[in-house]
Amino acid sequence: MKNVLISGASIGGPALAHWLRHHGFSVTVVERARGMRPGGQAIDVRGPALEVIERMGLGDQLRSFSTNMRGMNVVDADGNELFRSTTHTFSGGDLSSPDVELLRDDLAGMLFDAAEGVEYLFDDTITSIDGTRVTFEKAAPRDFDVVVGADGLHSNVRKLVFGPESEFISHLGMNLAVFTAPNFLGLDHWQTFQQGEVVGGGIMSARANAECRVYMGFNGVTDFDYRDIDAQRALIAEKFADAGWAWPTALKHMWEAPDFHFDSMSQIRMDSWSRGNVVLLGDAGYCGSPLSGQGTSMALVGAYVLAGELAKDPSAAFQRYEEILRPYVVANQDMALKNQANGGAPTEEFAAVVNSLTLPSY
């Protein structure tokens, strides 16, 4: 099992590619986008995931990309301040912790650069998997010993091998859009949130205050085409039409944002993450939703463990991968539900769950 195909080039895919190359595997990554995807949320690397980054030799680089938030405040629809903190933020949690908050695309780029000797097939996707034979939309068919679905919440690999998304997804009743805009509020390493009964979100400065990331969300289950970006923008515009505060300006920038992303807050729960020579990694197999605050860390830890077990004993790798990782994953998914019940704020159990896995050595 020395020839591995990974579907997805966000976080888990490049991280797995790095570790597989470290263990001597031949690695190909296929990605539907034409290149590394820009944008995305501010994400957090915590607990054992920090150790994974250190073992990659990327700890200092990771910290250099930190958002370096100084704090946050909450305002009402008229912009009146209701709450302020310089010890915690909604996006990153406890500012005194060793956790590192950075932008998703900064981490993805860092991991892409770290995965040397990897073949990338951009602007392509898998159309069928039959044993070792894989067919693509554009590239010629090829054979791979292992196929890994690291292709997110709406995983194509999961659909092809395990069945329709509806069998595994659980919608948490919230929807979120994220995009980049000019720092039109003049925030200085700061984030401001405004929460209404149905709609709300926040704006945080990014990249040394040169820009900001805008979060706009609403409650309720809504049918939408996750590939129709124009329809998603129109949906956000409709929901926030009378929301007040800075949302009219945010909406103007939304229509121009090249990295607009919208999706439901959902979880993926499966009885098994593997079938035959196919295995799932990160959100494709065990999405915790942004409410967990742990999606990135679970993908990084999962990549490290999966690669290590494949190198150690390919015949038992998938079983060991689940045995090691599943308690950690389930605890984090359950914590997301508790966070939701707590109004989105992490519960007191959060730190214990984050650090509930002791990282193996390979």
Side-chain angles (χ1 to χ4, degrees), residues 24 30 94 116 125 138 166 197 239 265 281-282 286 349 360-361:
V30 60
D94 183 358
E116 298 180 358
T125 190
K138 297 180 179 178
S166 58
E197 292 185 7
K239 294 290 185 180
M265 287 199 185
L281 170 66
Y286 38 89
E349 304 168 64
S361 295

Side-chain angles (χ1 to χ4, degrees), residues 209-224:
N209 301 327
E211 62 186 38
C212 68
R213 289 285 162 98
V214 180
Y215 300 77
M216 302 178 75
F218 61 88
N219 296 327
V221 178
T222 301
D223 290 331
F224 65 93

Side-chain angles (χ1 to χ4, degrees), residues 296-344:
T296 298
S297 291
M298 287 194 288
L300 290 170
V301 172
Y304 172 81
V305 171
L306 178 57
E309 292 301 326
L310 282 168
K312 184 178 178 181
D313 181 2
S315 65
F318 295 168
Q319 179 182 343
R320 288 289 297 148
Y321 165 62
E322 289 208 36
E323 288 175 353
I324 293 169
L325 209 63
R326 187 173 284 276
Y328 170 72
V329 163
V330 171
N332 278 290
Q333 289 184 316
D334 289 347
M335 185 58 57
L337 303 183
K338 293 179 181 179
N339 290 344
Q340 182 182 28
N342 197 39

Side-chain angles (χ1 to χ4, degrees), residues 33 191 199:
Q191 53 188 247
V199 303

Side-chain angles (χ1 to χ4, degrees), residues 39 58 87 98 145 164 169 179 245 280 289 299 303 336 339 343 360:
L58 299 175
T87 60
D145 299 311
I169 194 168
F179 56 91
W245 186 49
L280 301 175
S289 87
N339 290 344

Side-chain angles (χ1 to χ4, degrees), residues 185-261:
L185 292 182
L187 300 174
D188 180 12
H189 296 93
W190 193 264
Q191 53 188 247
T192 300
F193 280 78
Q194 187 271 319
Q195 299 291 335
E197 292 185 7
V198 178
V199 303
I203 300 171
M204 63 180 288
S205 62
R207 299 214 164 96
N209 301 327
E211 62 186 38
C212 68
R213 289 285 162 98
V214 180
Y215 300 77
M216 302 178 75
F218 61 88
N219 296 327
V221 178
T222 301
D223 290 331
F224 65 93
D225 182 349
Y226 68 89
R227 297 203 183 281
D228 189 341
I229 294 177
D230 287 340
Q232 294 164 18
R233 292 184 206 256
L235 179 60
I236 289 292
E238 175 189 346
K239 294 290 185 180
F240 279 80
D242 301 310
W245 186 49
W247 298 128
T249 303
L251 286 172
K252 291 179 182 178
H253 291 300
M254 177 193 72
W255 290 105
E256 303 168 357
D259 59 356
F260 176 87
H261 175 76

